Amino acid sequence: MEKIVSIIIPVYNKAAYLSTCIESIQALTLDHSTIEAIFVDDGSTDESLSILHTAAKTMDFIRIIELPENTGSPAQPRNVGIEEATGTYITFLDADDRLDSVGFPQLVAQAATNDADIAFGQTIKHTDTSIQKVGRFASFTTANQLVPYEIDKVFRAVGPPGKILKRSVLIEHNIRFSPMKFGEDKLFFFEAISKCQTASMNPAAVYHVNRFAMNDSLVGQTSIFEKTTFNLQVLEKTLELDIPTVAKTHALSRLIEMDFLSRLFNNKRFLEHPQQQTFFDLFREMIAVFERHNADPADFIFDDIFQKQYALLQQEDYDSFVAFITLLVQKHKARRYVSENRLYYRMPKSLHHLGPVLEPFFATYAGTRLVDNVFYEVVHVLKDETTTITSALLIAPNDEATETDVPFRVKGTELFIPTEALERHSHPFQL
């Protein structure tokens, strides 16, 4: 029978997690004759191969490919999987992660029914202390016939989890993973998403990421300086990509705002690091890459806070920059004030020249109120007039995957939720 989806799993010394990974594929509510799981072993020295061969004896959807020696990253194993795959669609699964038995088949069926080039589902990250959703913006509703690279912030989450795409797109455009220790996912999906013409999305959980402390990943072993050096390579190659202008704009915006501003600077690691100048030097290298391509980084920075950070870095006003980052890292502890129903950071005098810094959306609990003999829990919302509230969710603390819609209405700057709707839920929750 024709394969609808090929699941490509690079394997390197993941014996501790492989059984769970395999069981998740076995549990998929799909006809197993329509799927193939291609495990590409990258020179494992533990019991990984033995586990795979044992499983393959009873699960005929498993294919095993053994590479002659370790290649150093998942890139080449994934490329081998792409070449060997026979499914209409391809998805990538890490050997220490698992697929959702119900959500993943739903996404496959939705993509096939709508002949989507790519489909986005929800990824759930599991840590020792929490369960979190990853990349909400790419899977917040059920929708089809979308232009993938026009989805807002779609390039903010460009790792393999939670995505399926047509193999024919990869073959036609010769899209493969670059042999890099870090950042190969970004470059691959920048191009792949940009070459896809249609997309589907679904809010159902399709992929579960293992980020428990005992799982030592390659990403976790890579320092911020190494990551940034690889990101410079990704930036260079992204500037050279032949993709639609809107796609390149979004991709470059992601690299600057997320990788070269937020992740590089907006954290205690930078503030406490004894070699802050190294961070600044790497940022100057980023600017030099743009200059070699006759491009201006400022054209791809759209968030007001990032624009302010960039201006300070451009002026090499590092004292003000550090003071500004200190303010941002404080988050809810920072001094703020309300003006015309908007929340602003209260800036120290040394940063007044930056102008006001706005918190885009902020909500505070305003207590219980009796309206027309009905009790409501009231939330005061600070936002601009163009932002629309479309749903209110109860979310279990430390478990974003457990959520429930509740009825609500908005009047002016306040959101009203019937108290009775909340009292039906006995477990703790947050709004």
Side-chain angles (χ1 to χ4, degrees):
M1 184 176 292
E2 182 180 354
K3 306 298 183 185
I4 188 172
V5 62
S6 299
I7 305 166
I8 299 172
I9 311 103
V11 180
Y12 179 66
N13 290 350
K14 291 297 181 181
Y17 311 100
L18 260 179
S19 293
T20 300
C21 177
I22 294 168
E23 288 166 5
S24 79
I25 301 173
Q26 171 76 3
L28 294 175
T29 54
L30 283 168
D31 182 342
H32 288 168
S33 66
T34 66
I35 69 174
E36 60 179 358
I38 304 175
F39 289 86
V40 185
D41 185 76
D42 198 17
S44 292
T45 57
D46 64 359
E47 297 299 314
S48 294
L49 268 175
S50 176
I51 293 171
L52 289 174
H53 283 294
T54 299
K57 292 177 181 178
T58 58
M59 304 177 193
D60 57 9
F61 57 82
I62 291 180
R63 295 174 57 189
I64 303 170
I65 299 173
E66 300 179 35
L67 300 186
E69 58 184 8
N70 178 255
T71 63
S73 84
Q76 184 58 20
R78 288 176 182 152
N79 290 340
V80 170
I82 292 170
E83 295 294 336
E84 294 292 328
T86 62
T88 301
Y89 288 96
I90 280 176
T91 195
F92 300 100
L93 173 63
D94 285 349
D96 47 2
D97 297 338
R98 59 186 174 89
L99 296 175
D100 193 272
S101 61
V102 177
F104 181 76
Q106 287 178 349
L107 188 66
V108 171
Q110 181 180 350
T113 299
N114 292 279
D115 194 29
D117 288 341
I118 190 168
F120 302 95
Q122 187 61 65
T123 297
I124 308 295
K125 180 173 69 173
H126 301 257
T127 72
D128 292 326
T129 58
S130 67
I131 301 174
Q132 302 171 322
K133 289 188 174 183
V134 179
R136 290 173 176 267
F137 36 79
S139 56
F140 56 86
T141 189
T142 300
N144 299 293
Q145 303 305 320
L146 303 169
V147 179
Y149 50 82
E150 292 182 355
I151 298 172
D152 187 37
K153 295 183 175 65
V154 72
F155 290 122
R156 290 299 199 255
V158 283
K163 303 175 183 66
I164 64 173
L165 63 158
K166 278 187 177 177
R167 179 175 182 270
S168 59
V169 173
L170 304 181
I171 299 302
E172 177 184 352
H173 298 284
N174 193 31
I175 302 172
R176 299 293 187 273
F177 289 90
S178 296
M180 301 166 63
K181 180 181 176 182
F182 178 83
E184 80 285 351
D185 294 348
K186 280 179 276 199
L187 192 60
F188 178 90
F189 281 102
F190 282 168
E191 188 171 13
I193 292 172
S194 300
K195 295 299 184 182
C196 290
Q197 300 300 307
T198 59
S200 293
M201 73 163 63
N202 195 299
V206 303
Y207 191 109
H208 297 269
V209 175
N210 174 357
R211 287 295 181 268
F212 293 104
M214 65 179 293
N215 185 18
D216 189 20
S217 69
L218 188 61
V219 172
Q221 299 168 11
T222 311
S223 75
I224 186 60
F225 296 147
E226 283 185 281
K227 289 177 181 177
T228 305
T229 299
F230 283 116
N231 281 329
L232 287 168
Q233 297 177 37
V234 173
L235 174 62
E236 188 95 48
K237 294 179 180 180
T238 302
L239 284 161
E240 296 169 355
L241 285 178
D242 180 18
I243 56 177
T245 300
V246 63
K248 183 173 287 191
T249 297
H250 288 323
L252 292 172
S253 175
R254 178 254 149 79
L255 284 171
I256 300 176
E257 294 189 348
M258 298 303 298
D259 296 301
F260 289 100
L261 285 172
S262 181
R263 291 176 179 168
L264 189 59
F265 293 109
N266 291 10
N267 47 68
K268 290 183 180 179
R269 176 188 56 217
F270 163 71
L271 292 176
E272 298 171 356
H273 204 284
Q275 300 175 19
Q276 287 186 345
Q277 187 59 47
T278 303
F279 291 80
F280 298 135
D281 291 344
L282 286 168
F283 194 82
R284 297 303 302 180
E285 287 186 43
M286 183 273 290
I287 294 175
V289 172
F290 272 94
E291 290 175 345
R292 286 200 298 271
H293 290 266
N294 297 314
D296 185 351
D299 293 339
F300 305 96
I301 304 174
F302 304 108
D303 180 90
D304 178 64
I305 288 178
F306 291 137
Q307 289 175 345
K308 287 178 168 58
Q309 288 179 227
Y310 180 74
L312 292 174
L313 289 168
Q314 268 284 69
Q315 298 159 12
E316 298 187 6
D317 185 356
Y318 296 142
D319 288 340
S320 294
F321 181 82
V322 171
F324 188 37
I325 296 299
T326 301
L327 179 75
L328 298 177
V329 169
Q330 289 175 342
K331 295 183 179 178
H332 63 280
K333 295 181 180 179
R335 300 173 69 188
R336 292 176 288 189
Y337 66 94
V338 176
S339 176
E340 297 182 354
N341 202 48
R342 305 304 304 277
L343 185 70
Y344 296 88
Y345 284 90
R346 191 170 175 182
M347 307 287 278
K349 288 184 179 180
S350 61
L351 296 178
H352 278 183
H353 62 289
L354 292 179
V357 175
L358 175 71
E359 187 77 61
F361 186 96
F362 192 80
T364 56
Y365 177 55
T368 303
R369 195 175 303 172
L370 183 64
V371 180
D372 297 330
N373 293 318
V374 177
F375 285 105
Y376 291 90
E377 303 306 311
V378 182
V379 178
H380 185 206
V381 180
L382 303 174
K383 65 179 185 64
D384 63 33
E385 295 180 355
T386 63
T387 300
T388 302
I389 300 173
T390 58
S391 65
L393 298 174
L394 297 184
I395 301 174
N398 302 319
D399 182 4
E400 293 184 358
T402 301
E403 62 182 27
T404 305
D405 275 290
V406 291
F408 71 96
R409 63 186 178 90
V410 176
K411 183 177 180 181
T413 62
E414 295 181 319
L415 184 147
F416 292 78
I417 300 174
T419 302
E420 186 271 337
L422 303 186
E423 291 175 340
R424 289 198 297 265
H425 300 275
S426 57
H427 59 76
F429 61 84
Q430 56 192 16
L431 183 65

